Amino acid sequence: MPTATEAPRIYPAIRYRNAAQMIDWLRDAFGFEVRARYGDGDIVHHAELTFGSSMIMLGTARDDDYGKMVGEPGGGGGKSIYVAVDDADAAYAKAKKAGAKIIQALVDRDYGSREFICLDPEGNVWSFGTYWPKAGEKA
């Protein structure tokens, strides 16, 4: 059974039309750091971007077996990534400066979180807030 103190076991994976450009944008807008990047030129086969102890994986949308399973980037709904931050106001300012489309401005939630919601340039929904549940702690 996994423990709460081990490395994360869940890694969101995203396909982008222009993953090479999005890597730079995610770094500038949200503060991700590139851990690994594999590919040929502008085609990113696999990249790993870290945010503290968390990580996302991404690549260029391609007509390969995985691409057929996950579908094309863009609409379709039901997709969102939440990122816990220490300072929602600073994250908001950085995202806004980088051109993130803010779809919900900073708000204080009744459960104690300060957060906002935005879109990346390819339409994925990102929420940033100070609510930071820990797997090893009681809810």
Side-chain angles (χ1 to χ4, degrees), residues 17-62:
R17 289 179 195 88
N18 189 336
Q21 182 179 2
M22 287 305 303
I23 289 170
D24 293 337
W25 192 87
L26 291 166
R27 187 190 61 232
D28 294 343
F30 300 155
F32 280 93
E33 294 182 18
V34 178
R35 180 181 182 275
R37 179 179 171 167
Y38 308 98
D40 300 312
D42 287 339
I43 303 299
V44 178
H45 296 148
H46 176 80
E48 299 169 359
L49 278 61
T50 61
F51 189 91
S53 62
S54 299
M55 187 181 321
I56 62 170
M57 297 181 204
L58 62 91
T60 302
R62 301 183 303 284

Side-chain angles (χ1 to χ4, degrees), residues 3 12-13 17 30-31 34 36 47 60 68 75 80 82 84-85 94 100 106 109 112-113 121-123 126 131-132:
T3 66
R17 289 179 195 88
F30 300 155
V34 178
T60 302
K68 290 173 184 160
S80 172
Y82 177 84
V85 295
K94 185 172 187 163
L106 283 163
R109 301 284 186 205
S113 184
E122 291 201 14
W126 293 81
Y131 178 68
W132 189 355

Side-chain angles (χ1 to χ4, degrees), residues 16 42 63 81 90 93 106 110 118 129 134 138:
Y16 282 107
D42 287 339
D63 187 23
I81 297 175
L106 283 163
D110 59 359
C118 64
K134 315 292 191 299
K138 275 194 149 218

